[in-house]
Amino acid sequence: MLVVIRLSVHADATLWDTNGHPATIAEGQHWYVIGDEDCRYPPFFDAALARNAAIRRDVSLFYFDESIDSAPCCGPKPEFDLARLTAEDYVGVPIAIQADALAQLGSIRPQHGEAAIYDLLLRAAAAGMVIDRAADTEVRRSRARTTAPQALRERAVQSWAEAAGHALDVLPDPVRSALQLRVRFNAGIPPPPLTIAIAHHDAPKAPGRDDAHWLQALLAGLSSPADLDQPLRVIAHEAAARGVVGPGFGSVPVRIIGSASNYPSVTAQFNTLWRNCETEHLVLIANAYPSSADWPWWALLSFSLQQDVGIVNALVADAAGNIEGAVSREQLRDAYADASTPSVRPQPLDALKRFHCEWPIGASRVLAIRRSVLEEVQGLDEGLPLLLSTLDLNLKLRMLGYRSVTTPHAPFTAPSALAGEPLAPSAVAIFFARWQEILARRNWL
């Protein structure tokens, strides 16, 4: 029988037992449930935790949904996502952690104050512990939980980054009370050589705009900041470079390869391009250009330089703010469960959470990846359309143990309105047949 010990965490990051005494953490197979004074647990809570622990023996830490008395439905919390956790304190309390795991982590660290549980989650993830949402259990609260102050979360994320060996600055998100990560280069850690590989996506063009228009907009934004002393390399497919005179545009040299007749699909162009690149770090782009005055490659490199990250996906929106091919994990599971044929429709940017997340939110017209990673999986599947081929690539890399990250801080604009892309039933059938065992497992995606 599972032994459950309930504790309460105070604002000063001290743990107290149900008798009002300071808690002593001991090793063992029992579980500690850490909440705050406002958590009200349902009668079946311990039994539900025991059931989850028996089913998911690999999990060291569970977290739970919360409902507020004044709100009929708060909705489920997102599934565990380390990239999103570094941006947003969405897990909170209560959590249930196996006693040996809590002892291994050295309990919570009082110096992090109100962000002590947030810091514990980051350290548990860094230690390789499996963290999961217990989807069948909800805890009641009289009021909404207050998230940890941003300054304390910044310190916790900075501590996590330093312990993981990541040279990152933690900055406030300009849109929400969230955090963003930015790679930090210095004399000891120089920026790596980077190649921008440009493919051609045969999509409808806006009136009066030809293929060269978006390429010129892209090249115009390639000038690197002063603190990036490595020159950029640009390689482009012939179809993408059509209308650009000579081997380059302005001061940016462009190496042109391929032929439109030989490489008709974007996935085939991507494979040709990366195999012709001479650098380890790459950004693959098809018909998109930076939509921010800030240099967008920072946000991509901030994740692609982390060795446990296999692929970084950028968001591509049209002028109306719609994201191309926006597909959530839940939508993909639902499509698989219903055996239906999804049609990829753009969604408003505001409808999607503007946080880092470990899932390719849309069709990856822009992605950062390492050449060695592409070699490991032999590139993209040229038998699938763009959306499914990039989803397939993300899933392959996740299966190999890499993280797959989407960042909102590298925004790109498509050269024309995004009307959506119906997917051929044959392509969907191939994709689902390949990933049927994975798609059937709720806790894997």
XYZ file of all heavy atoms in Angstrom, residues 192-229:
279
model
N 29.108 30.054 -33.351
C 29.518 29.084 -34.359
C 29.234 29.602 -35.770
O 28.360 30.461 -35.962
C 28.628 27.884 -34.050
C 27.360 28.518 -33.548
C 27.805 29.738 -32.774
N 29.939 29.104 -36.778
C 29.562 29.402 -38.164
C 28.129 28.916 -38.413
O 27.741 27.851 -37.944
C 30.580 28.610 -38.993
C 31.727 28.386 -38.061
C 31.146 28.265 -36.696
N 27.367 29.711 -39.118
C 25.949 29.422 -39.340
C 25.615 29.565 -40.819
O 26.026 30.533 -41.453
C 25.091 30.388 -38.510
C 23.570 30.295 -38.656
C 23.058 28.970 -38.111
C 22.894 31.463 -37.938
N 24.876 28.590 -41.348
C 24.426 28.649 -42.733
C 22.915 28.812 -42.774
O 22.188 28.071 -42.106
C 24.815 27.380 -43.503
O 26.236 27.256 -43.522
C 24.312 27.446 -44.943
N 22.446 29.791 -43.539
C 21.021 29.964 -43.818
C 20.748 29.294 -45.157
O 21.281 29.701 -46.193
C 20.626 31.452 -43.881
C 21.174 32.219 -42.670
C 19.119 31.598 -44.000
C 20.621 31.778 -41.358
N 19.928 28.248 -45.162
C 19.617 27.500 -46.375
C 18.192 27.832 -46.804
O 17.249 27.655 -46.030
C 19.773 26.010 -46.134
N 18.035 28.319 -48.032
C 16.761 28.878 -48.480
C 16.167 28.016 -49.586
O 16.773 27.825 -50.642
C 16.947 30.318 -48.996
C 17.629 31.170 -47.914
C 15.613 30.933 -49.393
C 18.083 32.527 -48.409
N 14.965 27.490 -49.335
C 14.242 26.685 -50.320
C 13.080 27.497 -50.878
O 12.786 28.603 -50.417
C 13.750 25.386 -49.686
N 12.401 26.916 -51.841
C 11.278 27.588 -52.502
C 10.009 26.812 -52.222
O 9.939 25.604 -52.453
C 11.519 27.662 -54.009
C 10.331 28.161 -54.780
N 9.904 29.461 -54.714
C 9.476 27.532 -55.635
C 8.846 29.621 -55.504
N 8.573 28.458 -56.059
N 8.995 27.491 -51.697
C 7.693 26.881 -51.437
C 6.738 27.409 -52.488
O 6.481 28.606 -52.563
C 7.204 27.253 -50.030
C 5.984 26.500 -49.592
N 4.765 26.664 -50.169
C 5.802 25.558 -48.623
C 3.882 25.887 -49.578
N 4.490 25.200 -48.638
N 6.199 26.532 -53.296
C 5.353 26.948 -54.413
C 3.958 27.287 -53.909
O 3.001 26.542 -54.071
C 5.281 25.835 -55.457
C 4.602 26.310 -56.752
O 4.478 27.535 -56.916
O 4.205 25.456 -57.555
N 3.846 28.445 -53.269
C 2.573 28.891 -52.715
C 2.084 30.118 -53.478
O 2.857 30.809 -54.140
C 2.748 29.245 -51.241
N 0.763 30.420 -53.418
C 0.259 31.607 -54.108
C 0.939 32.874 -53.610
O 1.178 33.037 -52.420
C -1.238 31.601 -53.752
C -1.542 30.194 -53.353
C -0.288 29.670 -52.731
N 1.262 33.757 -54.517
C 1.944 34.997 -54.162
C 0.932 36.135 -54.031
O -0.114 36.143 -54.679
C 2.989 35.366 -55.232
C 4.012 34.258 -55.486
C 4.837 33.987 -54.250
C 5.906 32.951 -54.520
N 5.367 31.646 -54.884
N 1.266 37.082 -53.217
C 0.443 38.278 -53.101
C 0.525 39.060 -54.407
O 1.537 39.005 -55.113
C 0.929 39.136 -51.933
N -0.537 39.783 -54.776
C -0.517 40.544 -56.036
C 0.690 41.476 -56.104
O 1.007 42.191 -55.156
C -1.835 41.339 -55.969
C -2.719 40.532 -55.064
C -1.810 39.919 -54.056
N 1.369 41.436 -57.235
C 2.497 42.327 -57.460
C 3.788 41.870 -56.825
O 4.787 42.586 -56.872
N 3.803 40.682 -56.243
C 5.021 40.196 -55.607
C 5.459 38.903 -56.280
O 4.677 37.967 -56.401
C 4.794 39.956 -54.113
C 4.435 41.229 -53.360
C 4.445 41.000 -51.867
N 4.167 42.226 -51.139
C 4.264 42.354 -49.826
N 4.642 41.336 -49.092
N 3.997 43.501 -49.235
N 6.715 38.855 -56.677
C 7.245 37.653 -57.300
C 8.106 36.892 -56.305
O 8.196 37.226 -55.128
C 8.048 38.004 -58.563
C 9.178 38.986 -58.253
O 9.548 39.136 -57.069
O 9.683 39.603 -59.206
N 8.752 35.832 -56.788
C 9.563 35.001 -55.908
C 10.701 35.785 -55.265
O 11.141 35.458 -54.154
C 10.153 33.819 -56.698
C 9.098 32.771 -57.035
O 8.160 32.632 -56.243
O 9.225 32.122 -58.075
N 11.218 36.781 -55.987
C 12.389 37.502 -55.480
C 12.037 38.439 -54.331
O 12.910 38.785 -53.534
C 13.037 38.303 -56.608
N 10.745 38.830 -54.218
C 10.373 39.844 -53.238
C 10.677 39.367 -51.818
O 11.315 40.076 -51.031
C 8.895 40.193 -53.378
C 8.446 41.261 -52.431
N 8.499 42.598 -52.729
C 7.955 41.186 -51.164
C 8.054 43.299 -51.703
N 7.716 42.461 -50.746
N 10.210 38.174 -51.459
C 10.414 37.693 -50.094
C 11.877 37.349 -49.850
O 12.384 37.507 -48.746
C 9.515 36.504 -49.786
C 9.857 35.249 -50.542
C 9.340 34.853 -51.742
C 10.784 34.239 -50.150
N 9.893 33.661 -52.118
C 10.785 33.251 -51.160
C 11.608 34.065 -49.042
C 11.578 32.115 -51.101
C 12.394 32.928 -48.983
C 12.382 31.958 -49.996
N 12.581 36.884 -50.911
C 13.995 36.573 -50.743
C 14.788 37.845 -50.447
O 15.679 37.855 -49.604
C 14.535 35.879 -51.989
C 16.021 35.522 -51.948
C 16.317 34.577 -50.797
C 16.467 34.901 -53.264
N 14.449 38.923 -51.132
C 15.129 40.192 -50.887
C 14.850 40.673 -49.462
O 15.743 41.186 -48.775
C 14.679 41.223 -51.908
C 15.150 40.897 -53.325
C 14.545 41.827 -54.368
O 13.806 42.741 -54.026
N 14.855 41.575 -55.625
N 13.602 40.491 -49.004
C 13.267 40.879 -47.630
C 14.047 40.032 -46.625
O 14.476 40.525 -45.580
C 11.764 40.732 -47.399
N 14.226 38.760 -46.947
C 14.988 37.884 -46.066
C 16.458 38.297 -46.038
O 17.058 38.457 -44.971
C 14.863 36.436 -46.539
C 15.789 35.408 -45.873
C 15.537 35.352 -44.370
C 15.596 34.037 -46.500
N 17.054 38.493 -47.211
C 18.471 38.838 -47.269
C 18.747 40.188 -46.632
O 19.811 40.400 -46.048
C 18.949 38.825 -48.725
C 18.920 37.458 -49.429
C 19.363 37.604 -50.883
C 19.791 36.454 -48.707
N 17.781 41.095 -46.738
C 17.973 42.422 -46.153
C 18.092 42.350 -44.638
O 18.683 43.237 -44.016
C 16.820 43.338 -46.547
N 17.563 41.294 -44.022
C 17.621 41.172 -42.575
C 18.724 40.257 -42.081
O 18.727 39.884 -40.916
N 19.648 39.910 -42.973
C 20.687 38.969 -42.591
C 21.927 39.621 -41.985
O 22.791 38.912 -41.485
C 21.119 38.132 -43.804
C 20.182 36.987 -44.201
C 20.741 36.229 -45.384
C 19.974 36.035 -43.038
N 22.047 40.929 -42.075
C 23.246 41.564 -41.529
C 23.326 41.255 -40.039
O 22.371 41.436 -39.293
C 23.201 43.071 -41.754
O 22.036 43.619 -41.194
N 24.466 40.764 -39.611
C 24.600 40.286 -38.240
C 24.965 41.421 -37.294
O 25.589 42.397 -37.698
C 25.661 39.190 -38.175
O 26.906 39.681 -38.614
N 24.593 41.289 -36.017
C 24.966 42.312 -35.041
C 26.474 42.326 -34.823
O 27.180 41.374 -35.134
C 24.212 41.894 -33.783
C 23.950 40.440 -33.960
C 23.782 40.219 -35.430
N 26.953 43.408 -34.238
C 28.396 43.600 -34.105
C 29.055 42.522 -33.256
O 30.206 42.170 -33.467
C 28.678 44.979 -33.504
N 28.303 41.976 -32.272
C 28.928 40.999 -31.391
C 28.914 39.582 -31.956
O 29.341 38.647 -31.295
C 28.264 41.015 -30.009
C 26.756 40.840 -30.074
O 26.215 40.920 -31.184
O 26.144 40.632 -29.024
N 28.410 39.412 -33.169
C 28.478 38.115 -33.840
C 29.536 38.227 -34.930
O 29.270 38.708 -36.029
C 27.124 37.736 -34.445
C 27.059 36.343 -35.069
C 27.121 35.273 -33.983
C 25.792 36.158 -35.872
N 30.763 37.790 -34.632
C 31.857 38.025 -35.564
C 32.014 36.912 -36.594
O 32.873 36.992 -37.462
C 33.179 38.201 -34.801
C 33.488 37.030 -33.874
O 32.777 36.011 -33.954
O 34.427 37.140 -33.071
